[in-house]
Amino acid sequence: MNARSPRPAAVPAEALRHPRSLKAFRGMKLLVGGYLALSVLTLAAIYLLRGDAAVVNDAVWVRASIVAASALLTYTFTVRAARGSRGAYRRLRIVAPLMAAAIVLVIAVPGPFPVWLKVEQGVCGLGLLGVIAVANGSHLRALFAAR
């Protein structure tokens, strides 16, 4: 017999409408939305500058594509968490620190990434640090605690 434990119910709507909850999710959506917008703009710039090998190389294409995809996922997790999804909140708390750590590596390790991409990654990383701080704050942790 394969008995699964029941999924915890979504966070109650009244708890999501609490002023602290609304403020937390509004801030995270702005930060993650900025991260997504900057990532998409970076991909557009890479496309426009694709003929200049000093500015755009294969590593830049790969990194920017991964960042844009992760930014889209992170935004999706944020929106779903704001609607009360415990799973999306858990994924947000996992993905944001992982991407921030990857950004630190891109910035710190000498390699194929040009300075302009490292600066862009630094800005993205700062936004993610804000998301990490809010997502791991006591209010949201209490809000999403399994009941």
Side-chain angles (χ1 to χ4, degrees):
M1 184 144 103
N2 187 7
R4 287 192 201 177
S5 59
R7 294 182 118 182
V11 174
E14 62 274 1
L16 294 170
R17 289 190 297 264
H18 186 278
R20 288 184 66 194
S21 301
L22 293 172
K23 181 179 177 184
F25 286 119
R26 187 178 316 114
M28 285 197 309
K29 285 179 188 176
L30 285 171
L31 289 168
V32 176
Y35 170 47
L36 176 59
L38 185 56
S39 299
V40 170
L41 288 173
T42 299
L43 269 179
I46 289 168
Y47 177 78
L48 293 173
L49 298 169
R50 68 190 179 279
D52 188 349
V55 177
V56 176
N57 57 35
D58 289 342
V60 169
W61 274 106
V62 171
R63 177 66 191 163
S65 299
I66 291 169
V67 170
S70 75
L72 182 59
L73 281 174
T74 305
Y75 189 79
T76 302
F77 298 153
T78 304
V79 169
R80 290 189 63 221
R83 293 180 185 155
S85 170
R86 284 186 168 84
Y89 173 69
R90 185 175 44 254
R91 288 179 196 95
L92 177 65
R93 288 184 62 200
I94 293 168
V95 169
L98 288 176
M99 287 309 298
I103 287 170
V104 168
L105 288 175
V106 165
I107 293 171
V109 176
F113 301 110
V115 172
W116 71 267
L117 185 72
K118 290 183 178 198
V119 170
E120 180 267 348
Q121 290 287 279
V123 173
C124 287
L126 290 174
L128 284 174
L129 287 177
V131 171
I132 293 165
V134 174
N136 289 295
S138 60
H139 179 74
L140 289 185
R141 283 183 302 138
L143 183 70
F144 285 97
R147 293 184 163 86

